[in-house]
Amino acid sequence: MGEKKKDIYISGPITGVEQYYKAFEAMEEELSAIGYIPLSPSRLPEGMSNEQYMRICLAMIDSADAAIFLKGWEDSKGASLERDYCCYANKPAFTDPRLMREVLG
């Protein structure tokens, strides 16, 4: 049996961003192509409260080996909270997939 693939949580702006899922899908494809398992909040069902989404997303971060942050994350309340949580939990966080691959393998 080979080495387990690393799970990578994708964080980025969603609320108020038209077609936000396109950036998430592009990152999912990029991560999959280099051998990672993407965990994306853009795949969650619609209709829940922001608080419900955040609880699920923080659990996804806990399960992930690292997180990657999409362009514009700094302007997102939710993504900023996820970044703070990564720092608090000592979870590796990246903005560049190439650097992430260098660090994580």
Side-chain angles (χ1 to χ4, degrees):
M1 193 179 234
E3 184 178 330
K4 179 201 170 292
K5 291 183 179 183
K6 292 189 177 0
D7 302 318
I8 309 298
Y9 178 78
I10 304 169
S11 179
I14 292 178
T15 302
V17 178
E18 284 191 37
Q19 299 184 345
Y20 64 85
Y21 54 88
K22 288 186 177 185
F24 284 86
E25 288 174 353
M27 183 57 71
E28 287 174 35
E29 290 176 13
E30 186 170 355
L31 293 173
S32 293
I34 57 177
Y36 296 126
I37 299 170
L39 302 175
S40 178
S42 72
R43 300 285 180 181
L44 296 174
E46 293 185 26
M48 294 186 288
S49 70
N50 286 342
E51 293 79 13
Q52 288 173 305
Y53 286 123
M54 190 53 60
R55 283 192 289 273
I56 294 168
C57 291
L58 294 179
M60 291 169 71
I61 291 170
D62 279 339
S63 296
D65 295 296
I68 190 154
F69 289 79
L70 300 175
K71 183 179 179 182
W73 72 267
E74 305 95 331
D75 300 322
S76 166
K77 185 177 177 181
S80 293
L81 179 62
E82 291 169 345
R83 177 67 180 207
D84 289 345
Y85 185 72
C86 285
C87 291
Y88 175 80
N90 292 318
K91 183 74 58 175
F94 301 91
T95 55
D96 182 346
R98 293 176 303 242
L99 177 60
M100 182 178 65
R101 191 167 187 200
E102 285 179 27
V103 173
L104 297 179

